[in-house]
């Protein structure tokens, strides 16, 4: 228990003094996971809309695969991505291993099924005649998609947060493909793991708190944006 | 003239069930076509096909004479369709009404004026800032009508557009609709269960039963001579006859109908042509001419051409310059000694004549 | 530095001590190379070497390393430093391990009393050393009720031993780093068989085309350079009051065990 | 007698807006109450309050005379409510209809029979195995009606129950409803925009405007003497008078209405009491007695009691044993020299008399 | 790439020969994560229904917290739960640390926000008048909940899978509170990590494949159940 208090005190100290390294790690987390979330949103919303709106043979299997994807262990994703990106792997020549780009790839793979799942859930429960009615008012395919996404904005918002949450909180894949290099690929979660391994529990908790504060803040900002949107 | 919208050999299936089959249907530019028929007949489905929202399993949809395939979006933007349910979006009523305009890229400033005009026209000005999700049934229906009309499309497709409206609104909207449609020459197809609405609004009526067009033709024709019993059950049997206005003064209109003249109350009526509608129970038949003064303004002489039992009553068809139908009791039939060929006088009050204005 | 990179695969225990963090900027400054330190299990480090996914290794599993060199994957293997393994356990030491004469008797006490012992069970250098001690005793503890395999790094294993009031074999550096949060005390130390010896070696550039051979050579040279060795000798004094490693450049393993 | 359901001093708010305020409303056991009024008046809201689904911001709901608080579930299970939209579940039509029964724990075997009976009664037998999600508007409405009736509740609350039905179905269902309601003595409240439906089904009519009950009373009273113009706009003005059946043969019914006798076509009519409804445009006024034979079976002598201009027409009120209203043209008014006090004969056909059967 | 093929071959070999240890690890994964999913469902559906159906002050904050919860890093959850369960911690006397029960607790905390998020998404987009209509047909509160859950069964099914996926694929917390003890708390993910650390990539991939196959199979079974349900 004490440890947790120490951690909280440490977190405030770090935030208060503006520790440059913590600051840059936080920024890196945000950039890497933000990019991964963006990619996951593009992939997840496209596939999700397809699964929610189209009936095609194999659709059930596709849904099952997406659901299975939500259970992809980060370590496995990390291992497989690493196998591809290692110098000995097929994509080795790209030199992506142990770079933030590699982490973005791995996190995208982890976040995309969640975003897809939420998108299917959100769009699937809209009234079935809404889409034809929108077409009937002159919507193009893209406009229709944009409108139904707005209509389902609350659950989609959850999709964004689930995607970002999965990306930013994941550690196994980041360690594997990022290497936890100080100043290059160290992000909040890998820093937490390192601190914990070194027995530095209070800093570990402090970093965790900063991580959660980051997620919470982004939530707040997006909630604000979303509510401003819905008012206009 | 090629039809504005036409169906050729259309079949629509759901699962294994064939729910609509239309060999040929032409909607002429500027006409108003009413679609009637029992629940589940396929009326809404027909409308979806016409709105280019449902691609039939078979057959072709023609727009201005050429197949639509590939240009659906462009064509859809010349139309507007209102569905049976009002599917409003979770935004303000004004934003809902502006939707189609913004989809077409109209700048915000321009939109506002149009939206306000139609908000007003459908009596929902007060709701402009309310959410589309918290309206009463009738309010929602008005908004969804406004959402279509604001587009000022060249074709409008309406699925039971007035079903949730209160009666005075329904009547005034029907009047408005008549005005708007004739002002703008919009081509319109609407589904309705209200015979009166069909009679009042439509140039032609199509009756769909069991996924097939059972009868289609000019309103007067379909209403006065339904093709079969099923159709008759859905359109009712009334006297509906085309008429020309001869004179109009003192709140009375005199019209020539077939070879006869008919007086009717004007009630704001202004057109030069009309459909004259008479309910069978409003027509009194007598076998001798009376000289007494009553409030009956129309007395037409003619001959009985047909007698059909209808429940406790009898429907007597007579040619009095134009074909009309009166319903009388069996006892009256006996007492008056009416048979086919009997000369009769058909009397009806000017207030009983329902006039439907016809455009030029 | 330059964008020429050098990948160092090292065991977590080396890395977790923080020594490499201190050496990294020095090396990068001296060579202009971009050093990427990947902290992984011993097994994974060697496997990465075999596959050519690392250029240079710092590990502490002599037997496995020799094998690695024999197979032709490793070259230029040099002794860098050592510290030692100790057996830690609860302060009250119910089996009186403190009085054991050598490592094997210490383990024998565990076996006879069936006091819980936590093994890392992860094929790490520490785990291999522990197994070789059991082997000397002529006993295979695998599957015994009192013998737990944590399958994790040293830190986690110490924590488990701490929570279970059990004994475990640990390297001194990790123990010192975690001492504050543990109730475990050193109960046995000083056996020559408990030396923890770190080597640096280069991955054989002939096994794969991508290996940064010159950089790897530079790193090996760096590790055994006098300046570096001096830093190693000092490392940890400020924090623990004693150094964590003993620099050994230029000596041989035989010399160490004889001490 | 205490009311089955009663509202006392109810106020319902949405946000800051007060959308319903009812000082007192009693629904008597076994009665049928129709609720009419413009869109957005608060009719659906009233129904929600009666169905114990909306807890008013203020006031009390009484069930059998005592406050409902705390026993809502038990009481709700004695009622059934059908909403304006048919909210069917994503399961088979039969399962949808069985829903309320299974919620009440009725075993599957027993359910089946009841469900089949009501499937049939609402003409949706064929849809039993179809999904509740893929029905036409009218089909869905029938299913949602069946879903309520299958519960055989002691109170039934219906919100525009027939709005999506085709006209023949609507009429036959109205007939059925009359039969079911009088057979079982169910207490019913229904919202409708159709005056005919209200007149046909209801014992009493409540007219709600702007969230307030503007008038409530026996159907005949509300229809024939609306409290004000707004009410009149929603109920229309018709002659509606209570009558007793004297004899009935040859498809004709003779009734005593006030001091007068009226003949009407029976059309399957069987009750012993009725409301007699007459449209103003169906009544012919004459100032002298005629002897000629016509199909007019009713000639009642009386005196003009009032004259009101109404658009192009004039509404003449006369007491002919009971109060009735005729609409005639201005010209006829002049020609006939009708003024208050003028003795007149009111004639109307037996087929023009609309009979609404009344209770036991 | 070869590694992946080796891994697949190894996976089939293991499954074919019925390796007892792998079998028991798989079963443990299933039990631990299955229990955690069940608990997460109970918690997540209750809170989710509350958030979807009730309007109360602080609701927005609650939703934001749930969304933030979807970003809880397993290592952090592991660390905090461990701090509570350690002998020195407030719940130390229960003796739960390094037991499957501890893993169930940690995984429940990880899975519950996801289940909640999906539940809110699923129930939130049902027509708003459905609930009163169900009450009007005589549903009690619980019956209403049961019916709307069935109505939203597809997205809820995704909720189950997301919850199970998050629980079964997580590794940081299981390592921390479970200890990865052979024969006691070693589950598929922790076994994968161990194999990877040992450099035994092919077995690591084999175990991953078994893990994914497990998730996929459970998906299939539940899909089957769900479709049978919806037919009856
Ligand atoms: N998925 C489906 N499978 C089978 N039949 C279907 C399906 N969807 C709709 N139908 C049937 O198609 C028929 C036509 O439906 P449509 O909505 O066009 O009827 P409608 O004429 O508009 O009826 P209403 O007057 O009730 O609105 C209905 O009988 C309906 O049950
Ligand atoms: N959230 C809300 N905020 C403000 N007003 C609301 C809200 N929800 C409903 N209302 C208003 O309450 C009034 C009563 O609605 P209700 O549904 O009872 O009307 P109704 O009489 O049934 O109308 P209709 O004939 O159109 O079905 C409407 O004017 C509606 O706009
Ligand atoms: Mg329809
Ligand atoms: Mg309503």
């Amino acid at each position: 228990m004490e440890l947790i208090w120490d951690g909280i005190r440490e977190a405030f100290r770090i935030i208060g003094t503006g520790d440059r390294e913590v600051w840059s790690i936080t920024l890196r987390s945000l950039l890497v996971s933000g990019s991964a979330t963006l990619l996951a949103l593009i992939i997840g919303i496209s596939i999700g809309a397809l699964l929610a709106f189209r009936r095609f043979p194999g659709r059930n299997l596709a849904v099952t695969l997406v659901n299975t994807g939500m259970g992809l262990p980060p370590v496995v994703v990390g291992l497989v991505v690493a196998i591809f990106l290692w110098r000995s792997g097929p994509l080795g020549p790209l030199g992506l291993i142990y770079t933030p780009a590699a982490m973005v790839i791995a996190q995208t793979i982890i976040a995309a099924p969640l975003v897809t799942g939420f998108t299917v859930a959100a769009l699937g429960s809209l009234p079935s005649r809404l889409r034809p009615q929108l077409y009937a008012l002159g919507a193009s395919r893209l406009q229709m998609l944009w409108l139904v996404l707005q209509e389902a904005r609350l659950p989609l918002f959850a999709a964004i947060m689930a995607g970002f949450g999965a990306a930013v909180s994941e550690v196994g894949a980041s360690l594997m493909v990022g290497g936890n290099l100080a100043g290059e690929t160290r992000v909040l979660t890998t820093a937490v793991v390192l601190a914990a391994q070194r027995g530095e529990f209070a800093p570990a908790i402090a970093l965790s708190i900063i991580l959660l504060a980051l997620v919470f803040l982004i939530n707040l900002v997006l909630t604000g944006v979303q509510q401003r949107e819905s008012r206009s | 003239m090629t039809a504005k919208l036409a169906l050729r050999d259309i079949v629509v299936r759901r699962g294994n069930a064939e729910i609509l089959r239309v060999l040929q249907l032409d909607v002429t530019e500027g006409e108003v076509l009413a679609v009637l028929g029992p629940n589940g007949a396929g009326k809404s489905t027909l409308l979806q096909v016409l709105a280019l929202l449902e691609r039939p399993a078979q057959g072709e949809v023609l727009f201005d004479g050429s197949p639509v395939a590939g240009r659906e979006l462009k064509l859809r933007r010349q139309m507007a369709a209102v569905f049976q349910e009002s599917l409003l979006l979770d935004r303000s009523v004004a934003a809902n009404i502006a939707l189609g305009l913004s989809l077409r890229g109209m700048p915000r400033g321009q939109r506002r004026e149009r939206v306000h005009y139609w908000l007003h026209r459908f009596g929902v000005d007060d709701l402009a800032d309310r959410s589309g999700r918290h309206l009463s049934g009738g309010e929602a229906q008005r908004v969804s009508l406004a959402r279509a009309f604001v587009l000022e499309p060249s074709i409008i497709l309406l699925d039971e557009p007035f079903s949730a409206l209160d009666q005075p609104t329904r009547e005034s909207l029907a009047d408005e609709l008549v005005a708007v449609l004739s002002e703008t020459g919009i081509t319109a197809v609407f589904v309705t269960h209200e015979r009166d609405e069909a009679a009042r609004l439509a140039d032609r009526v199509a009756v769909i039963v069991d996924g097939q067009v059972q009868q289609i033709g000019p309103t007067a024709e379909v209403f006065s001579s339904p093709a079969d019993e099923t159709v008759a059950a859905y359109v009712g049997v009334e006297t509906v006859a085309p008429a020309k206005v001869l004179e109009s003064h003192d709140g009375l209109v005199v019209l020539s109908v077939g070879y006869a003249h008919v007086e009717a109350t004007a009630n704001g009526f202004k057109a030069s042509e009309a459909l004259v509608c008479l309910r069978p129970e409003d027509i009194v038949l007598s076998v001798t001419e009376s000289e007494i003064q009553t409030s009956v303004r129309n007395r037409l002489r003619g001959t009985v051409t047909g007698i059909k039992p209808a429940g406790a009553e009898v429907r007597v068809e007579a040619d009095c310059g134009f074909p009309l139908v009166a319903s009388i009791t069996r006892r009256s039939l006996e007492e008056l000694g009416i048979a086919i060929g009997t000369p009769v006088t058909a009397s009806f009050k000017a207030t009983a004549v329902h006039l439907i204005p016809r455009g030029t | 530095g330059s964008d020429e990179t050098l990948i160092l695969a090292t065991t977590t225990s080396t890395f977790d001590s923080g020594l490499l963090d201190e050496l990294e900027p020095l090396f990068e400054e001296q060579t202009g190379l971009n050093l990427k330190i990947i902290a992984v299990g011993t097994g994974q480090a060697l496997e990465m070497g075999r596959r050519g996914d690392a250029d240079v290794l710092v590990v502490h599993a002599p037997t496995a390393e020799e094998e690695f060199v024999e197979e032709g994957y490793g070259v230029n293997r040099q002794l860098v430093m050592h510290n030692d393994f100790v057996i830690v356990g609860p302060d009250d030491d119910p089996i009186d391990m403190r009085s054991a004469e050598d490592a094997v008797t210490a383990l024998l006490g565990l076996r006879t009393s069936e006091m819980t012992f936590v093994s890392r069970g992860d094929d790490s250098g520490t785990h291999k050393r522990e197994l070789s001690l059991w082997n000397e005793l002529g006993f295979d503890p695998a599957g015994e009720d009192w013998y737990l395999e944590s399958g994790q790094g040293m830190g986690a294993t110490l924590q488990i031993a701490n929570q279970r009031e059990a004994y475990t074999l640990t390297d001194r550096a990790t123990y010192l780093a975690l001492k504050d949060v543990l109730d475990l005390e050193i109960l046995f130390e000083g056996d020559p068989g408990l030396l923890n010896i770190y080597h640096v070696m280069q991955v054989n550039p002939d096994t794969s085309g991508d290996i940064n051979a010159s950089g790897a050579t530079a790193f090996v040279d760096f590790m055994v350079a006098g300046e570096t060795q001096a830093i190693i000798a000092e490392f940890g004094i400020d924090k623990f009051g004693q150094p964590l490693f003993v620099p050994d450049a230029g000596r041989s393993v035989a010399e160490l065990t004889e001490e």
Side-chain angles (χ1 to χ4, degrees), chain A, chain B, chain C:
Chain A
M1 286 315 292
E2 244 180 284
L3 273 179
I4 294 178
W5 296 123
D6 286 354
I8 293 174
R9 220 169 301 129
E10 175 76 4
F12 277 104
R13 198 193 57 74
I14 291 174
I15 296 167
T17 59
D19 184 314
R20 283 220 31 202
E21 182 165 3
V22 171
W23 180 238
S24 87
I25 290 179
T26 307
L27 203 71
R28 190 171 307 116
S29 272
L30 190 61
L31 281 178
V32 168
S33 301
S35 314
T37 309
L38 228 71
L39 289 175
L41 281 174
I42 295 172
I43 298 170
I45 289 180
S46 316
I47 300 182
L50 207 76
L51 291 177
F53 295 151
R54 291 283 175 87
R55 296 287 167 273
F56 52 85
R59 182 180 165 279
N60 273 344
L61 184 68
V63 171
T64 309
L65 285 177
V66 168
N67 285 343
T68 306
M70 298 195 296
L72 272 183
V75 274
V76 174
V77 174
L79 184 56
V80 172
V81 172
I83 288 175
F84 274 82
L85 296 187
W86 272 337
R87 288 197 303 218
S88 57
L91 303 181
L94 299 179
L96 292 178
I97 189 76
Y98 309 131
T99 63
M103 298 164 78
V104 170
I105 295 174
Q107 294 189 356
T108 302
I109 295 175
I110 290 165
L114 270 174
V115 175
T116 312
F118 266 98
T119 306
V120 175
L123 299 184
S125 32
L126 290 175
S128 63
R129 282 171 194 153
L130 182 61
R131 278 179 319 128
Q133 175 66 80
L134 293 175
Y135 282 135
L137 291 169
S140 66
R141 249 162 216 279
L142 265 178
Q143 287 176 324
M144 182 282 289
L145 188 60
W146 179 236
L147 288 171
V148 295
L149 289 178
Q150 281 182 286
E151 204 54 7
R153 57 183 168 257
L154 258 157
L156 273 176
F157 179 63
I160 300 178
M161 291 324 304
F164 182 72
V168 82
S169 71
E170 166 288 322
V171 57
S174 291
L175 274 179
M176 203 86 173
V177 304
N180 194 17
L181 302 177
E184 291 183 40
T185 56
R186 184 162 301 165
V187 290
L188 282 168
T189 43
T190 58
V192 169
V193 169
L194 183 61
Q197 266 169 6
R198 290 183 172 172
E200 299 163 357
F201 292 121
I205 289 174
L207 288 171
S208 309
I209 289 171
I210 293 173
L211 173 55
L212 287 178
L214 178 71
V215 178
F216 184 74
L217 231 81
I218 290 190
N219 255 295
L220 276 190
V221 170
L222 286 187
T223 310
V225 171
Q226 175 233 326
Q227 285 184 340
R228 189 137 43 83
E229 279 265 307
S230 71
R231 229 174 285 128
S232 76
Chain B
M1 205 177 85
T2 57
K4 188 75 187 166
L5 261 178
L7 303 185
R8 294 280 177 276
D9 231 343
I10 291 286
V11 174
V12 177
R13 293 202 185 84
R14 292 281 153 77
N16 298 322
E18 181 180 311
I19 59 169
L20 187 70
R21 175 180 287 271
V22 180
L23 241 67
Q24 166 166 9
L25 183 86
D26 289 345
V27 184
T28 317
E29 175 136 23
E31 83 164 326
V32 180
L33 175 68
V35 180
L36 269 86
N39 289 135
K43 305 180 294 299
S44 298
T45 311
L46 175 71
L47 222 65
Q48 300 273 340
V49 172
L50 288 173
L52 310 184
L53 296 172
E54 164 117 33
R55 206 185 289 266
Q58 186 187 308
E60 231 176 11
V61 184
L62 306 177
F63 192 104
D64 283 336
S66 41
V68 298
R71 356 170 245 151
E72 278 93 347
L73 177 61
K74 212 176 120 252
L75 299 181
R76 266 202 319 260
R77 291 212 168 150
Q78 302 177 37
M79 316 194 205
V82 175
F83 287 12
Q84 216 164 339
E85 318 143 68
S86 352
L87 293 151
L88 300 181
L89 296 184
D90 187 15
R91 42 181 80 181
S92 76
V93 163
N96 263 288
I97 296 180
L99 186 66
L101 296 177
S102 52
L103 290 175
R104 284 164 178 76
M106 182 183 278
R108 187 178 290 258
Q110 247 170 299
R111 284 199 312 247
R112 181 166 322 194
E113 204 180 331
R114 279 260 282 271
V115 167
H116 272 272
Y117 175 74
W118 287 99
L119 269 169
H120 181 73
R121 200 133 182 193
F122 282 96
V124 283
D125 323 44
D126 294 348
L127 306 177
D129 297 325
R130 287 262 301 281
S131 157
R133 284 281 169 84
H134 302 295
L135 300 178
S136 81
E139 289 166 347
Q141 195 166 48
R142 294 180 199 205
V143 173
S144 99
L145 282 168
R147 187 165 67 164
F149 276 93
V150 75
L151 300 174
E152 297 174 6
S154 69
I155 302 177
I156 196 153
L157 304 163
L158 308 170
D159 200 348
E160 306 189 21
F162 302 146
S163 61
L165 301 183
D166 60 60
Q167 223 152 352
T169 307
R170 198 180 292 180
E171 276 156 29
S172 73
L173 273 189
D175 287 342
E176 287 241 29
L177 205 55
V178 170
V180 172
L181 293 178
S182 73
E183 266 168 39
T184 55
I186 297 179
T187 310
V189 180
F190 73 103
V191 175
T192 184
H193 288 304
E194 304 287 327
R195 298 156 187 171
D196 295 357
E197 251 162 54
R200 190 151 168 195
L201 296 173
D203 298 304
R204 290 200 302 156
V205 170
V207 180
I208 298 198
V209 180
D210 249 349
Q212 308 222 330
V213 178
Q214 214 69 12
Q215 185 173 9
I216 181 167
T219 307
E221 197 180 297
V222 174
F223 275 81
S224 48
S225 35
D228 58 31
E229 271 181 66
T230 338
V231 174
Y234 289 94
V235 298
V237 183
E238 294 210 6
T239 299
V240 184
K244 278 211 164 58
V245 174
L246 296 179
E247 42 177 319
S248 166
H249 48 76
D250 281 359
L252 267 189
V253 186
V254 183
L255 307 104
S256 96
V257 193
Y259 303 117
H261 286 190
V262 167
E263 279 185 38
T265 40
N267 260 334
F269 179 82
K270 286 202 195 63
S272 63
E273 290 187 22
L275 283 187
V276 161
C277 301
L278 281 167
R279 273 187 289 256
E281 58 268 31
D282 287 349
I283 299 176
V284 171
L285 293 183
S286 50
V287 288
T288 52
E289 188 73 43
S290 107
E291 291 303 317
I292 62 150
Q293 279 209 315
T294 71
S295 57
V296 171
R297 303 207 58 84
N298 295 295
R299 286 201 182 73
L300 307 178
R301 311 190 67 167
T303 330
V304 173
T305 56
I307 297 175
K308 286 182 187 151
E313 304 161 15
V314 179
R315 290 185 185 266
V316 179
E317 298 168 13
D319 183 353
C320 300
F322 61 98
L324 50 74
V325 185
S327 77
I328 63 174
T329 60
R330 278 169 201 287
R331 205 182 292 181
S332 292
L333 188 77
E334 281 165 31
E335 286 178 9
L336 297 174
I338 290 177
I340 290 181
T342 311
V344 289
T345 303
S347 334
F348 46 91
K349 297 172 64 184
T351 55
V353 178
H354 186 58
L355 285 186
I356 296 169
R358 290 278 104 159
T360 22
Chain C
S2 90
D3 30 307
E4 197 188 337
T5 60
L6 180 71
I7 297 177
L8 163 66
T10 181
T11 58
T12 32
S13 47
T14 330
F15 185 70
D16 288 352
S17 69
L19 173 63
L20 288 170
D21 282 347
E22 195 160 316
L23 297 178
E24 182 186 0
L26 257 173
F27 174 73
E28 290 186 338
E29 194 182 307
Q30 286 177 15
T31 60
L33 288 170
N34 177 10
L35 179 66
K36 297 196 168 187
I37 308 170
I38 311 301
V40 290
T42 307
Q44 191 178 340
L46 293 173
E47 183 63 23
M48 283 177 69
R50 281 200 180 87
R51 300 168 44 80
D53 290 323
D55 301 308
V56 64
L57 312 175
V58 173
V59 281
H60 63 141
T63 326
E65 291 165 35
E66 278 155 22
E67 207 175 293
F68 184 79
V69 173
E70 258 162 48
E71 285 168 9
Y73 289 113
V75 293
N76 192 15
R77 176 168 174 260
Q78 309 248 10
L79 177 60
V80 176
M81 61 193 183
H82 78 271
N83 59 8
D84 62 342
F85 292 112
V86 297
I87 299 179
V88 297
D91 193 21
D92 58 3
D93 188 18
I95 61 168
D96 191 23
M97 186 180 275
R98 284 194 176 94
S99 59
E101 285 150 24
D102 57 18
V104 176
T105 21
L107 290 189
L108 184 63
L110 282 169
R111 180 194 165 180
T112 46
S113 68
E114 304 206 339
M115 276 300 296
T116 310
F117 179 85
V118 185
S119 162
R120 284 185 57 178
D122 63 351
D123 273 356
S124 59
T126 314
H127 182 220
K128 286 183 166 141
R129 177 58 54 92
E130 177 214 319
L131 287 181
S132 75
L133 291 174
W134 287 116
N135 200 28
E136 267 180 64
L137 187 64
F139 172 69
D140 179 9
E144 298 292 334
D145 276 348
W146 50 270
Y147 184 79
L148 295 181
E149 288 182 71
S150 73
Q152 294 194 69
M154 199 63 250
T157 305
L158 278 168
Q159 190 59 249
I160 293 171
N162 184 45
Q163 294 299 322
R164 287 281 170 103
E165 302 185 281
Y167 293 78
T168 191
L169 179 74
T170 173
D171 65 287
R172 190 181 292 270
T174 309
Y175 170 72
L176 286 176
L178 296 180
K179 195 171 181 307
D180 287 348
V181 293
L182 299 174
D183 301 325
L184 300 172
E185 296 299 328
I186 295 178
L187 301 179
F188 181 84
E189 60 186 328
D191 185 301
L194 289 184
L195 280 186
N196 182 19
I197 303 166
Y198 291 88
H199 283 85
V200 62
M201 69 178 143
Q202 224 178 309
V203 174
N204 184 353
D206 300 340
T207 55
S208 159
D210 299 322
I211 288 163
N212 184 350
S214 61
T217 314
F219 186 77
V220 173
D221 293 347
F222 170 78
M223 285 304 282
V224 297
E227 196 188 339
T228 315
Q229 291 276 309
I231 294 172
I232 292 175
E234 296 290 308
F235 183 75
I237 294 179
D238 51 350
K239 206 168 165 196
F240 306 110
Q242 54 175 292
L244 292 183
F245 301 99
V246 180
D248 290 328
R251 303 166 76 185
S252 74
V253 174
E255 280 176 56
L256 296 183
T257 37
E258 275 163 23
E259 273 178 8

